[in-house]
């Protein structure tokens, strides 16, 4: 029974990640379209909706990512490896930073969020590379094996890829928020 | 002076702009923001809370039937069985080794201890060590060899497979085992299958790291000290 609940949770998390990636692609396409081809009212209002509430969305991303990672370690009992811990360090404080920023409408939070997110994203990217590349990249961990893919729903969404998607989403939202403030 | 002044001016301008913006759109967009935040957090809490609640409820009830195919120490007739899924190369299993040894002496009448193999993939010599321990077990010296491996773990954990094997054969000599038979049993397919079966059983019931302990089939949070082990065993003995 427990197994089913855990795999259901992981599947939901992976689906959320998949949807986020689709969302990012569509948003990117919208952006390019309005930039390169022409201004479009619908596109503009969609982008505006997300820009206006970008900090709130970024906060929710951090919330889900943190809860997801804690769920995987404390309920699904996956032991986090060293690289996982570094990513966690970059993700967890975002809840507080972005939470306060969202309530206070404080766009200047990007100065603090972006560097941390950048570091986290780099580590996630490396970790994902390490899992996916056939050449062994260094990560020595006595307790947990970094290269081990504990889960891989949809064939490619492993835990570090979930983290990377989270970091990219937060960065995109924070940049969107900063964009509206400039106008 | 001038340079110091410039950015402040710019910031002030930005601030004013911001104020103007929020003044014109504030009411409706503030509302939307709170709706998004509220809705998001509510959905999140319901979903996550539901999952955790379900898991907690199931956790306390889960009793697994664990096969009796591990090596046993202590009172074989006892109704209390402590099972360890262990990896002979894992440092935390080594750390638990003296605690369990003391426990086995102090509580030798109160429970039986069963060791089951769970060699982790990340430890290059773990499976080999398990096979060596089983090979010693074939000559009734499993726990002697198991102790030897833990006591000298740092000697062999960093070695290549070949060197580790030579080391293990040395240990077998020290323990006065029949070395030829030991060497043969190192490649014994039946013993390998036994190890693999124990590991698959472990995976089946949710073992994901070592050491993992089960008390009468119930998963226990890895106790932190000898006293914690004793408390748990006493409690279990009372309930039986």
């Amino acid at each position: 029974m427990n197994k089913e609940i855990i795999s259901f949770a992981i599947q939901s998390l992976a689906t959320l990640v998949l949807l986020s990636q689709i969302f990012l692609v569509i948003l990117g396409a919208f952006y390019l379209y309005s930039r390169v081809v022409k201004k479009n009212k619908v596109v503009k209002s969609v982008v505006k909706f997300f820009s206006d509430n970008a900090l709130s969305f970024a906060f929710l991303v951090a919330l889900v990512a943190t809860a997801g990672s804690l769920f995987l370690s404390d309920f699904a009992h996956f032991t986090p490896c060293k690289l996982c811990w570094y990513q966690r360090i970059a993700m967890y404080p975002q809840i507080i930073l972005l939470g306060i920023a969202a309530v206070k409408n404080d766009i200047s939070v990007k100065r603090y969020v972006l560097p941390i997110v950048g570091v986290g994203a780099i580590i996630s990217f490396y970790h994902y590379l390490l899992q996916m590349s056939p050449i062994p990249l260094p990560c020595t961990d006595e307790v947990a094996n970094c290269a081990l893919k504990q889960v891989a729903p949809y064939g490619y969404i492993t835990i570090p890829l979930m983290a990377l998607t989270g970091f990219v989403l937060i960065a995109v939202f924070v940049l969107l928020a900063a964009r509206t403030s400039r106008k | 002076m001038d340079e110091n002044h410039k950015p402040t001016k710019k910031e002030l301008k930005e601030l004013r702009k911001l104020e103007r913006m929020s003044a014109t759109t504030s009411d409706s967009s503030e509302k939307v923001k709170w709706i998004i935040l509220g809705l998001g957090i509510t959905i999140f809490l319901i979903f996550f809370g539901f999952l955790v609640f379900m898991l907690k409820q199931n956790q306390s009830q889960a009793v697994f039937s664990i096969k009796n195919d591990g090596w046993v120490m202590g009172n074989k007739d006892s109704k209390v069985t402590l099972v360890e899924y262990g990896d002979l190369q894992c440092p935390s299993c080594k750390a638990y080794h003296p605690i369990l040894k003391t426990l086995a002496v102090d509580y030798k009448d109160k429970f039986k201890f069963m060791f089951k193999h769970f060699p982790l993939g990340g430890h290059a010599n773990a499976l080999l060590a398990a096979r060596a321990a089983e090979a010693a077990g074939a000559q009734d010296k499993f726990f002697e060899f198991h102790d030897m491996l833990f006591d000298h773990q740092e000697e062999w954990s960093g070695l290549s497979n070949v060197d580790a094997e030579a080391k293990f054969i040395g240990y077998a000599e020290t323990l006065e085992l029949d070395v030829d038979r030991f060497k043969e049993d190192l490649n014994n397919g039946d013993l390998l299958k036994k190890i693999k079966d124990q590991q698959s059983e472990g995976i089946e019931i949710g073992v994901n790291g070592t050491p993992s302990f089960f008390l009468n089939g119930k998963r226990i949070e890895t106790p932190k000290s000898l006293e914690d082990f004793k408390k748990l065993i006493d409690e279990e003995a009372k309930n039986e």
Side-chain angles (χ1 to χ4, degrees):
Chain A
M1 183 62 183
N2 266 357
K3 247 186 171 173
E4 279 101 63
I5 299 171
I6 286 168
S7 63
F8 168 70
I10 291 170
Q11 197 63 42
S12 321
L13 215 54
T15 309
L16 214 55
V17 169
L18 188 68
L19 292 178
S20 305
Q21 288 168 350
I22 293 170
F23 168 78
L24 283 172
V25 170
I26 292 174
L27 204 67
F30 272 13
Y31 181 74
L32 278 181
Y33 181 76
S34 64
R35 254 288 155 91
V36 180
V37 186
K38 60 173 181 190
K39 302 256 185 234
N40 179 306
K41 253 198 177 153
V42 183
V43 168
K44 220 177 157 189
S45 62
V46 169
V47 173
K48 189 177 178 314
F49 170 75
F50 282 108
S51 314
D52 284 350
N53 301 291
L55 287 176
S56 308
F57 285 119
F59 164 73
L60 291 175
V61 172
L63 187 68
V64 172
T66 300
S69 108
L70 287 172
F71 182 86
L72 289 174
S73 65
D74 287 27
F75 293 97
H77 295 293
F78 295 139
T79 316
C81 72
K82 270 182 197 160
L83 289 179
C84 303
W85 272 110
Y86 296 145
Q87 290 161 58
R88 294 170 142 213
I89 290 167
M91 183 60 84
Y92 292 2
Q94 308 289 354
I95 293 188
I96 292 167
L97 285 172
L98 289 167
I100 295 171
V103 171
K104 296 276 175 197
N105 295 323
D106 181 5
I107 286 141
S108 63
V109 78
K110 72 164 194 242
R111 287 183 204 138
Y112 317 106
V113 166
L114 284 179
I116 310 176
V117 159
V119 172
I122 290 168
I123 299 169
S124 293
F125 182 71
Y126 177 78
H127 194 177
Y128 189 58
L129 215 63
L130 185 146
Q131 287 184 331
M132 287 308 177
S133 88
I135 319 148
L137 295 168
C139 168
T140 47
D141 193 318
E142 286 281 293
V143 187
N145 181 1
C146 290
L148 181 72
K149 286 178 248 171
Q150 281 131 325
V151 292
Y154 300 112
Y156 76 102
I157 299 178
T158 63
I159 297 170
L161 188 70
M162 292 181 183
L164 181 59
T165 310
F167 284 129
V168 172
L169 265 181
I170 290 175
V172 166
F173 278 132
V174 170
L175 287 171
L176 270 180
R179 211 174 71 98
T180 29
S181 77
R182 243 187 279 124
K183 274 186 201 154
Chain B
M1 190 63 203
D2 216 304
E3 261 174 81
N4 266 339
H5 202 69
K6 250 184 192 164
T8 4
K9 225 176 176 177
K10 221 177 179 180
E11 270 172 21
L12 270 173
K13 223 166 133 190
E14 245 176 25
L15 255 175
R16 241 177 280 131
K17 228 192 242 173
L18 256 177
E19 265 166 11
R20 224 182 304 133
M21 217 181 67
S22 56
T24 49
T25 54
S26 114
D27 279 351
S28 64
S29 75
E30 271 296 282
K31 227 185 245 166
V32 174
K33 183 184 88 178
W34 285 112
I35 289 171
I36 290 171
L37 278 177
L39 216 62
I41 294 173
T42 313
I43 293 171
F44 165 79
L45 282 181
I46 290 173
F47 187 77
F48 198 66
F50 172 73
L51 279 177
V52 170
F53 173 76
M54 290 289 282
L55 282 174
K56 280 279 169 211
Q57 230 181 16
N58 280 313
Q59 224 160 32
S60 50
Q61 295 160 355
V63 179
F64 302 103
S65 61
I66 296 174
K67 266 189 262 148
N68 273 324
D69 60 353
W71 287 96
V72 172
M73 211 166 39
N75 179 3
K76 293 195 170 57
D77 303 320
S78 170
K79 284 200 171 110
V80 181
T81 310
L82 177 71
V83 176
E84 174 190 0
Y85 281 91
D87 169 342
L88 294 162
Q89 198 184 335
C90 119
S92 26
C93 299
K94 179 188 162 78
Y96 271 93
H97 178 231
I99 296 178
L100 290 167
K101 254 188 124 170
T102 321
L103 184 69
V105 174
D106 290 0
Y107 270 29
K108 65 174 185 294
D109 302 323
K110 293 193 179 166
F111 82 115
K112 71 170 175 267
F113 172 77
M114 191 190 291
F115 182 88
K116 297 199 126 192
H117 294 288
F118 199 86
L120 297 171
H123 293 153
N125 290 324
L127 182 60
L128 186 66
R131 299 182 79 168
E134 283 299 325
Q139 299 179 45
D140 285 327
K141 286 208 170 162
F142 175 81
F143 279 109
E144 286 83 346
F145 203 88
H146 155 274
D147 293 353
M148 188 80 138
L149 286 174
F150 276 138
D151 292 341
H152 300 272
Q153 198 185 61
E154 42 310 307
E155 276 177 21
W156 56 268
S157 58
L159 299 178
S160 69
N161 272 186
V162 181
D163 291 342
E165 194 173 323
K167 206 67 176 180
F168 295 158
I169 292 168
Y171 294 157
E173 276 163 12
T174 318
L175 290 172
E176 295 175 339
L177 293 170
D178 175 348
V179 174
D180 289 331
R181 197 178 148 201
F182 179 81
K183 279 186 197 163
E184 223 170 85
D185 281 340
L186 270 179
N187 296 310
N188 186 329
D190 291 341
L191 294 179
L192 177 65
K193 187 174 178 300
K194 182 182 168 188
I195 296 164
K196 291 282 179 196
D197 284 350
Q198 292 184 356
Q199 184 159 28
S200 326
E201 180 194 53
I203 292 170
E204 195 64 34
I205 62 177
V207 175
N208 40 34
T210 53
S212 290
F213 294 100
F214 289 81
L215 192 59
N216 278 359
K218 282 173 293 225
R219 171 108 188 213
I220 52 173
E221 284 294 316
T222 308
K224 305 233 169 359
S225 67
L226 182 61
E227 272 58 48
D228 291 348
F229 272 110
K230 288 184 176 172
K231 230 182 275 167
L232 283 167
I233 290 172
D234 287 338
E235 251 168 56
E236 195 62 36
K238 241 184 269 164
N239 294 337
E240 278 304 313

